[in-house]
Amino acid sequence: MEKTSKSPLKSILTIVISLAFAGFFLWLALRGLDFKVIQKSLSKANYLWVLFASVFGLLAYWFRAIRWNLMLEPMGHRISNSNALWSISFGYLMNLTIPRSGEVARATALYGVEKVPVDKSIGTIILERVVDLICMMGFLLLTGIFKFNAILAFYHFVMDKKDEKEEFVPNFFERQMMKLGISDFDSFYLCVKIGLVILVLTGLGLLYKYKKEKLINFGKGILQGLTSVFKLKEKGKFILYTLGIWICYYFAAYLVCFALPETSNFTFADGFFIIVVGTLGMIIPASGGIGAYNLAMKYGFMALFISIGKSADFGGEMGLTYSFISLPLQIVIMLVMGLISIPMLARARNIAASDKEFEN
């Protein structure tokens, strides 16, 4: 399996759903917002710190490219670090348009310049996700140790707010369901969940039935990619670059805090909390993390501000202000690197084609 394709209808549907997610979460984040407070904070921001943070964001790209090369080497593929970098950049660019499409786009781009089979590349990408999840769990552990008070303070804040609601207030969707005669929403939501599970299992069963051979071959390629970690020749470098990637992510997130006067006194421990909350926000399949990331930062900063005895509303405003700096920074990096990757990959493909003709 060297080439993959996706129907235009499925791509359009994915984009529409991701935009709907982004719009919904952005509405949740911005409702009741005092834009004047955020505008004032943004006008006072020191954007030199943002520029400094961007250096770490770019450095993470390079470390990830070198680490990918180390993972592919045991399978007999010694690739150019620059080709790995531009393939990764192209994958991130695709994620901005069609969420979760970047992995396949990245593997396909690498095949175009290095002829590494897509299934093997995807195996290493899945392995990357597993390794990154372990690193994320490490940050989660550090957050639990050093910022448990913030988590507990936010929990009590949410419970207090919940107790204030004495009666059930249906949302828009529930009001429409009530018009159809549905009143027991506990049972309704349970039936919906069961129906979704049955639908997913049926879909997987049909996929296996009609695509059995392709799935088995694809699975073998992925397995080879996953097991490449046990055959690494330079395990020390792999660990070093993995730590380098996440240290860069940490500083790219933490240094933005110093751009705002209201968050310039945040500690290293606060940085652990911010990167965990931000990563959780980016997991939601919304276009570019828009909306979901903003909402995550709003709640995350609320927790931090509550834990030091400050207003939850003010913390939410500062969280949104932070997100209006941090998220555009991430998107700009993805856009710039992704757009540069297109001509760079095209050039690499032309060079590869010329070398092949010369050999023949």
Side-chain angles (χ1 to χ4, degrees), residues 322-340:
Y322 172 92
S323 72
F324 290 152
I325 297 175
S326 179
L327 185 59
L329 171 64
Q330 297 175 50
I331 292 175
V332 166
I333 290 174
M334 284 190 278
L335 278 173
V336 171
M337 293 295 290
L339 292 174
I340 293 174

Side-chain angles (χ1 to χ4, degrees), residues 135-145 151 272 276 280:
C135 293
M136 176 62 184
M137 294 302 292
F139 273 106
L140 188 60
L141 179 62
L142 290 171
T143 300
I145 293 171
I151 298 170
F272 300 148
V276 168
L280 292 175

